[in-house]
Amino acid sequence: MSERITGAEALVRCLEAEGVDTLFGYPGGVALPIFDALYDSKQIRTILPRHEQGVVHASDGYARATGRIAPALVTSGPGATNTITGLANAYMDSIPMVVFTAQVSQAVLGTDAFQESDITGITLPITKHNYLVKDPADLPAVIKEAFHIASTGRPGPVLIDLPIDVSRGELDFEYPETVHLPGYKPTTKGHSRQIKQAAGLIAKARRPLLYAGGGVLAGEGTKELKELAELMQIPVVTTLMGKGAFPEDHHLWIGMPGMHGAKYTNYTITETDLLIAVGVRFDDRVTGKLSSFASKAKIIHIDVDPAEIGKNKAVDVPIVGDAKPILAGLVGELRKSAADPKTEAWVRAIDDWRKQFPLHYHTVEGHIAPETVVQVIDKLTMKQKRVICTEVGQNQMWACQYTHLTEPRTWVSSGGLGTMGFGLPAAMGAAVGRPDHLVIDIAGDGSIQMNSQEMATCKINDIPVKVVILNNGYLGMVRQWQELFYDRRYASSVLDQMCPDFVKLADAYGWKGYRITDPADLEKTLKKALAEDGPVMIDVHVEREECVFPMVAPGGSIDEMLGGVPGAPVSDMLDDDLLEEVWE
Amino acid sequence: MKHTLSVLVENKSGVLTRVTSLFARRGFNIDSLAVGPTEDPTLSRITIVVSAEDTPIEQITKQLHKLINVIKIQDLDPAESIDRELVLFKVNATPERRHEIIEIANVFRAKIIDVGRNSLTIEATGSTDKLQAMEDLFRAYGIKELARTGKIALARGSRDSEAR
C-alpha cells in the first residue's frame, strides 16, 4: 500500500530502505526540506562537516573503509560546486558514493537564480551517472538506481540533483524492489573460455606475477587472490589502491610497484613472464614507460570495466568481470587440472633481490627520519585493528612503503586524483564507519592545512582520529621534484615561513596536541598519543630535506630508479647460477 | 579514417550531451551528428560520423558503452550499411538561370521546394558524395544558404541493429 508523503520524506525512507546508517551533510536554503525530514530519522545519523569538500571526502573514506555507502547531502550552488573535488577523487578511484545536491525550484531553474549552478552539467565527466529529478514521483526509482549504479560493476559516484519543489512536492510512496536499466548490465562472472585459457598460462608459467589493484578490494576478491597466490606460489604486487588486498606479512607479497616502488618490486615486474593484472588500470604512476613495463610477459587482465582492458597496454587474455568469481574460477580450473607450482626458483630470485635492494633510508644524527615515524606507527599499532589514512605527497608514499597492512579496507588514500586535503575528512569517515578501529591519518604539513576545519567535526562528534604530521616545513613532494628536476629552485614550496603552531591549533579545536622534535622521544610520545581516547594531533618535526626513494623519473622505465643502491638493469645484478635456473 | 557510429540511447533529456561531451573530452571532432526517435518511443538513435584511427575509436566506443543511458553501439561498416543525408540548398537563381538549376536538380532526383524571385530552394537526399557533387555544381550559381541534417545510417538487411 502506498502512502502520500513529501519528496524529502521519501528520500529519507529510501535511504533507510537502503540500510543507510550515516549521512554527511551541509545544509543551505533549498536543502532545508531534506534536512528537516532527516531530523526525524532514528536510523540515520547525520554528521555536519565544516566544508562540503569534507562532506564528500568523509563519505568517500566511509566507503573505502566499509564497502558501504554513507550518502552526502549538500545545498545548491556553492554547496554543490564544493563537492567537485570530492566527486572527481571518488570517480578516479572507483569509490561507491551517492551525493544529493539540492537545487533551486524548477520555476527558476536556468535563470541564474540565487545559489543556482548547473551541477549535473558540471559533474558529467566526474560521476558514473547523474540525475536531475523533475517529478517527486520519480524519486524512489532514481534513488534505487543510484545506489545500484554506484555500488555495482565498476563502482563510482552518482549525483542526484533535487529541485526544492521536488523535495517539497508530494508522491505516493513505494520503494521499488528492482531497477530497470536497459543500458546498464555489468558483466560480473567472466567468460569461462577465457578463464580456462588464463589458467592454462598460469599452470605453465615459470615467472608469474599477480599485479593486484583497487578492483580486488572493490570486487571483494581478497580471499580468492590469496588462494590463487598460495596454490600456484605466485608472488603478488599490490598497487597504492590495492594496498591491503593481500597480507603484507606474507612471504609472497612483493610490495608496491611503480614510481616509488621498491627496486625489488619493479625488477620483479620487469622480469616476469606472465603478468596477471587484477582490478588495475595500468596507471602511469605504476607503469612508467609503457613499452618497457612487463615487456617480457604475456598479460592476463581481469577487470570489471571493459574499457580498461587494452586502454594503456595490449593484453593477451582479457577477462571482463568481478575479481571474486574470476579468481575463484581460476583456482577451480587449476585445482581441476592438478596444476603444480613451478615458481620455486623465481620466488628465490625475488627473495634474493629483496635482500639486495630493500627499501632503505639514511638517518641523520639528531634528526627524525620521516620513514622512521611511519615504521614506529606501524610497529606500535600492528596488533590492533587499524585503518591507515594518508594525505597526499611524500607522507602518502612513506606511509605506503613502510606500513604493513594485513586486512582489506584498512588503507584510505587518494590514488588517481592525488587530492591534498583528503586525509583528515576521509579518516573521519573511516572512523565513523569502523568505530572499533584505530584510525590514523599520516599527514604532511601542507595537506593538513587544506581541510583542517574538519577538526571541529571530529571533536563535536567524538570521532577519535589520530593525525600524525610529518612536518618538514615544505610541500615536500614538490620540493623533491624541484630538487631533482628544477635545479633546486624552491619556487612556492616553502611553508615554514607561516606554518601554524599545530599543538595550539589542536588546543583551539579541543584536541590533544603533541609535538615531537627529539628522536629520543619519538616512540614513547607516539605510543602515549596514539593511546589517547579522543582526537589527537601529533606534530613530528622530521628531517626537512628527505626525499622519497627509490624513484622512477616521470616517463622513465621502472627498472631504472633513482636513489637507494646504485641503479643498473636487474640482469646485471643477479646471481649467475640462480639466473640460469630461473631463465632456463 | 571515418567511422559512422550508430548509437541507440534511452530517450531522456541530457543523453545527447553525455554522448557528445565524451567525444569532446577526448579531443575528437564530430564530422556529423543526427538524432531522432526510433520505432520504440523510449529510444533514440544518434548517428555520429567521426574521424579517428581504429584504436582510439575502440576506446571511445568502450567509454560510450559505460554511459548508463547508452544501450547499443555499432561501428557501421560502409559496405554493410546504408546511409542518407538530407540537404536544403537555397541557390541564387535569376529567372534566366532558373531552368539550368532545375535541370541539375532533376538529374540528382532532388526536389524544388520553394521558388523565390531570385532564388530556388532545393531538397536533396543521398550519400555524402552525391550531396557534395550537387553542392559543387550549385556553388557556381552562388549558394545563399545551406542546411544539412547530418548522416543517418542503418546496418543492411538481416543485420538486425536492434539485436541486444
Side-chain angles (χ1 to χ4, degrees):
Chain A
M1 219 8 233
S2 65
E3 188 188 345
R4 194 97 185 139
I5 58 175
T6 68
E9 286 164 343
L11 186 155
V12 176
R13 299 270 187 100
C14 295
L15 298 187
E16 288 175 346
E18 286 294 329
V20 167
D21 55 21
T22 308
L23 175 144
F24 298 95
Y26 202 107
V30 290
L32 286 176
I34 309 170
F35 279 90
D36 191 63
L38 277 166
Y39 203 55
D40 292 326
S41 175
K42 290 184 180 62
Q43 181 182 319
I44 301 170
R45 176 186 184 193
T46 300
I47 293 175
L48 169 72
R50 273 16 182 199
H51 189 299
E52 286 91 352
Q53 190 183 350
V55 169
V56 185
H57 289 331
S59 173
D60 183 318
Y62 183 101
R64 287 181 206 240
T66 66
R68 301 195 312 273
I69 292 174
L73 165 64
V74 300
T75 194
S76 65
T81 55
N82 277 345
T83 65
I84 285 167
T85 304
L87 283 165
N89 186 73
Y91 186 67
M92 285 284 267
D93 287 348
S94 306
I95 303 304
M97 179 183 283
V98 176
V99 176
F100 294 93
T101 49
Q103 184 55 281
V104 299
S105 83
Q106 292 185 75
V108 295
L109 199 61
T111 65
D112 305 323
F114 179 67
Q115 292 194 331
E116 180 188 356
S117 67
D118 171 17
I119 197 64
T120 47
I122 292 169
T123 59
L124 219 54
I126 50 168
T127 50
K128 186 171 172 185
H129 193 53
N130 63 21
Y131 296 88
L132 169 62
V133 184
K134 293 175 176 163
D135 182 343
D138 295 340
L139 201 49
V142 164
I143 295 175
K144 180 85 190 171
E145 285 175 17
F147 274 81
H148 178 69
I149 291 168
S151 58
T152 55
R154 178 177 184 167
V158 178
L159 182 138
I160 302 174
D161 200 24
L162 288 172
I164 188 168
D165 50 305
V166 169
S167 51
R168 274 199 194 131
E170 291 193 340
L171 67 152
D172 293 319
F173 180 74
E174 207 162 351
Y175 198 53
E177 291 189 356
T178 53
V179 293
H180 175 66
L181 291 165
Y184 180 72
K185 294 194 170 61
T187 308
T188 55
K189 276 190 176 150
H191 196 286
S192 60
R193 199 182 62 232
Q194 286 162 337
I195 292 175
K196 269 207 183 83
Q197 198 188 345
L201 288 177
I202 294 170
K204 280 199 303 241
R206 301 294 304 267
R207 310 197 306 274
L209 177 66
L210 278 156
Y211 161 32
V216 177
L217 294 159
E220 305 285 351
T222 55
K223 191 175 119 270
E224 291 75 9
L225 177 72
K226 187 159 171 254
E227 265 177 41
L228 175 61
E230 287 178 343
L231 177 68
M232 297 306 290
Q233 289 296 304
I234 306 171
V236 183
V237 299
T238 46
T239 67
L240 179 89
M241 285 302 298
K243 193 171 169 70
F246 192 78
E248 298 183 347
D249 53 0
H250 198 289
H251 75 281
L252 288 170
W253 183 64
I254 315 294
M256 170 182 76
M259 182 173 275
H260 293 296
K263 290 199 172 195
Y264 62 85
T265 314
N266 286 349
Y267 288 166
T268 305
I269 292 181
T270 304
E271 296 303 319
T272 178
D273 65 356
L274 179 67
L275 190 71
I276 310 151
V278 195
V280 295
R281 56 189 180 86
F282 291 83
D283 178 64
D284 57 276
R285 280 293 188 270
V286 171
T287 63
K289 195 167 133 199
L290 270 168
S291 59
S292 53
F293 181 77
S295 56
K296 300 172 186 174
K298 279 203 167 11
I299 298 179
I300 299 168
H301 191 180
I302 300 166
D303 205 292
V304 73
D305 180 357
E308 283 307 329
I309 291 177
K311 186 178 86 174
N312 295 339
K313 186 94 180 161
V315 166
D316 298 284
V317 183
I319 314 178
V320 176
D322 278 331
K324 188 185 181 78
I326 293 172
L327 290 170
L330 286 171
V331 169
E333 284 295 330
L334 291 159
R335 286 228 170 91
K336 207 162 70 187
S337 63
D340 56 343
K342 300 174 178 63
T343 62
E344 198 262 337
W346 170 234
V347 172
R348 251 194 305 135
I350 298 168
D351 283 339
D352 192 46
W353 300 334
R354 180 156 30 195
K355 277 190 210 94
Q356 281 188 66
F357 318 114
L359 280 175
H360 77 122
Y361 59 93
H362 298 288
T363 46
V364 180
E365 181 67 30
H367 291 252
I368 301 173
E371 297 92 335
T372 312
V373 182
V374 177
Q375 281 180 316
V376 171
I377 293 170
D378 191 45
K379 189 182 83 178
L380 288 174
T381 60
M382 69 193 336
K383 294 220 166 64
Q384 273 169 281
K385 286 183 168 181
R386 57 179 178 170
V387 177
I388 303 289
C389 309
T390 77
E391 300 287 343
V392 162
Q394 289 185 322
N395 60 82
Q396 178 183 29
M397 291 300 119
W398 285 318
C400 194
Q401 288 177 331
Y402 291 98
T403 57
H404 295 84
L405 303 178
T406 53
E407 294 294 323
R409 300 198 180 280
T410 55
W411 172 253
V412 173
S413 190
S414 166
L417 198 66
T419 309
M420 285 178 69
F422 171 75
L424 174 58
M428 188 168 89
V432 171
R434 291 275 194 102
D436 56 337
H437 281 54
L438 172 67
V439 177
I440 301 170
D441 177 31
I442 296 178
D445 46 321
S447 272
I448 195 65
Q449 292 186 59
M450 280 206 177
N451 272 317
S452 55
Q453 76 285 346
E454 300 310 337
M455 294 173 74
T457 318
C458 294
K459 178 62 189 173
I460 207 80
N461 291 287
D462 292 323
I463 304 170
V465 299
K466 313 291 185 256
V467 176
V468 182
I469 303 171
L470 306 178
N471 188 345
N472 57 15
Y474 280 114
L475 300 174
M477 193 59 98
V478 173
R479 194 206 62 82
Q480 173 165 343
W481 281 52
Q482 288 170 331
E483 178 181 331
L484 296 172
F485 311 120
Y486 291 87
D487 204 19
R488 302 188 180 213
R489 288 156 55 86
Y490 298 138
S492 300
S493 60
V494 188
L495 287 180
D496 64 353
Q497 287 145 354
M498 186 54 236
C499 247
D501 179 328
F502 288 112
V503 175
K504 280 189 183 159
L505 184 69
D507 195 42
Y509 279 112
W511 285 35
K512 291 257 168 50
Y514 291 87
R515 179 174 295 115
I516 305 175
T517 53
D518 184 346
D521 296 339
L522 180 66
E523 185 158 344
K524 73 170 191 291
T525 308
L526 266 177
K527 190 172 181 183
K528 180 158 182 266
L530 293 175
E532 294 273 9
D533 278 340
V536 183
M537 182 167 262
I538 308 143
D539 178 25
V540 189
H541 289 221
V542 296
E543 164 55 35
R544 298 195 55 199
E545 309 222 322
E546 180 67 344
C547 289
V548 182
F549 282 128
M551 178 179 188
V552 177
S557 291
I558 61 164
D559 65 336
E560 289 164 2
M561 280 165 280
L562 311 170
V565 280
V570 60
S571 317
D572 301 348
M573 295 189 164
L574 269 174
D575 179 275
D576 281 347
D577 296 337
L578 201 55
L579 199 77
E580 232 164 74
E581 209 178 325
V582 181
W583 279 265
E584 69 183 30
Chain B
M1 181 184 168
K2 281 213 194 305
H3 289 264
T4 304
L5 300 181
S6 177
V7 186
L8 200 64
V9 300
E10 286 186 83
N11 186 5
K12 286 184 175 166
S13 66
V15 177
L16 184 61
T17 311
R18 289 179 198 278
V19 170
T20 52
S21 72
L22 220 161
F23 283 81
R25 279 209 292 284
R26 304 239 157 192
F28 282 85
N29 233 337
I30 292 176
D31 291 351
S32 128
L33 177 82
V35 198
T38 66
E39 72 288 351
D40 178 343
T42 65
L43 302 179
S44 293
R45 185 180 303 281
I46 305 177
T47 309
I48 305 167
V49 182
V50 65
S51 298
E53 295 314 308
D54 289 343
T55 323
I57 200 76
E58 185 192 327
Q59 185 53 213
I60 272 277
T61 51
K62 281 176 163 179
Q63 296 292 342
L64 274 181
H65 260 300
K66 288 170 70 170
L67 297 178
I68 307 293
N69 304 121
V70 169
I71 291 170
K72 187 180 165 67
I73 303 164
Q74 288 175 290
D75 186 352
L76 293 174
D77 178 347
E80 290 184 45
S81 58
I82 38 166
D83 59 70
R84 288 292 181 272
E85 191 172 351
L86 187 145
V87 186
L88 300 178
F89 298 103
K90 190 184 284 176
V91 182
N92 274 331
T94 51
E96 310 80 72
R97 314 296 297 266
R98 201 174 275 165
H99 196 69
E100 286 173 42
I101 295 168
I102 293 171
E103 283 280 287
I104 294 170
N106 285 339
V107 170
F108 284 96
R109 272 175 259 157
K111 274 190 270 182
I112 311 297
I113 54 171
D114 188 53
V115 182
R117 275 207 300 155
N118 284 305
S119 71
L120 280 171
T121 304
I122 300 142
E123 171 199 317
T125 60
S127 67
T128 307
D129 289 351
K130 171 181 157 181
L131 300 180
Q132 192 59 50
M134 287 181 79
E135 187 182 326
D136 291 346
L137 284 169
F138 288 140
R139 205 168 283 286
Y141 300 90
I143 297 172
K144 292 159 93 77
E145 277 183 284
L146 185 155
R148 299 172 78 138
T149 58
K151 193 155 99 171
I152 56 167
L154 286 178
R156 277 187 190 279
S158 59
R159 290 199 50 188
D160 181 2
S161 61
E162 299 305 311
R164 310 263 162 87

